[in-house]
Amino acid sequence: MSQPESTDARRSTTTDASGLADLPDSVAAGAINHAILRVARLHRMLAGQLLRRVGLHPSQELVMMQLWDRGPQRQTDLVRLLGSDAATMTRTIRRLENAGFVRRRPSPIDKRVTIVEPTAASNALRTEVEQVWMDLETSVADGMTPAQQAEVIEVLGRIEESLARATSQEA
């Protein structure tokens, strides 16, 4: 009488085009999801390592870049511009304020509105943060031709649109 196959034996013995190790059938059924999760995790890990040099955590640099490029902003505008939620943005702004990189003040027009502005201390970091951002981009695009980079941006844009549609349908 034969033994039932183990889960490992039922797995495919081939690798996908990306060269990733064999995936369990349940994960392989969502191979794009798996690839996105792996890339996002590694991207965030590298961003965290690079940003530590300047005293920031991942996504704090995005808030700072918005403030440096656009000037003082309403906190609600930062939420919209960065695709965040109010609670996350409040925590991020509080941490940046505690680090001395931003200051919050009430709007002179509407006292219910909070304006967030960069401080002189954060302005001194701008060049370093921009260098970190370029280093991250270089690592991401390592070995890609300009045409491949453009294709990646196009594909990621389509994925983002698909996810945005699915998210709005779920709401």
Side-chain angles (χ1 to χ4, degrees):
M1 190 156 131
S2 68
Q3 297 277 335
E5 280 187 84
S6 72
T7 304
D8 288 341
R10 288 186 302 231
R11 289 185 188 152
S12 167
T13 58
T14 61
T15 58
D16 63 12
S18 71
L20 295 174
D22 292 348
L23 301 175
D25 292 340
S26 57
V27 173
I32 293 173
N33 294 329
H34 189 258
I36 289 170
L37 290 171
R38 288 174 55 96
V39 167
R41 181 182 58 80
L42 289 168
H43 185 272
R44 186 169 180 85
M45 187 184 314
L46 180 57
Q49 290 171 359
L50 295 172
L51 287 166
R52 261 193 295 278
R53 291 189 240 159
V54 295
L56 294 176
H57 297 281
S59 40
Q60 290 179 335
E61 84 282 11
L62 298 173
V63 172
M64 295 312 309
M65 287 190 275
Q66 287 293 329
L67 295 172
W68 291 325
D69 289 346
R70 297 174 183 255
Q73 298 285 309
R74 296 182 316 165
Q75 191 163 322
T76 55
D77 291 335
L78 289 168
V79 167
R80 181 183 48 78
L81 287 166
L82 297 172
S84 182
D85 61 79
T88 300
M89 186 58 67
T90 298
R91 282 191 305 274
T92 299
I93 297 298
R94 187 178 326 114
R95 288 177 182 141
L96 287 168
E97 187 176 38
N98 290 340
F101 297 137
V102 301
R103 117 174 85 280
R104 289 186 283 185
R105 61 178 169 79
S107 167
I109 300 166
D110 183 347
K111 298 298 181 197
R112 297 170 297 174
V113 173
T114 300
I115 303 293
V116 181
E117 59 188 10
T119 62
S122 78
N123 289 331
L125 286 181
R126 184 175 184 165
T127 302
E128 293 177 72
V129 170
E130 289 170 348
Q131 184 60 54
V132 163
W133 196 247
M134 289 189 310
D135 293 347
L136 185 57
E137 183 80 4
T138 298
S139 294
V140 168
D142 185 37
M144 286 188 214
T145 66
Q148 290 169 326
Q149 291 175 37
E151 185 178 358
V152 166
I153 291 168
E154 181 184 332
V155 169
L156 288 171
R158 288 197 308 258
I159 291 171
E160 182 180 14
E161 288 171 7
S162 295
L163 291 172
R165 273 194 309 276
T167 302
S168 67
Q169 291 170 2
E170 295 295 321

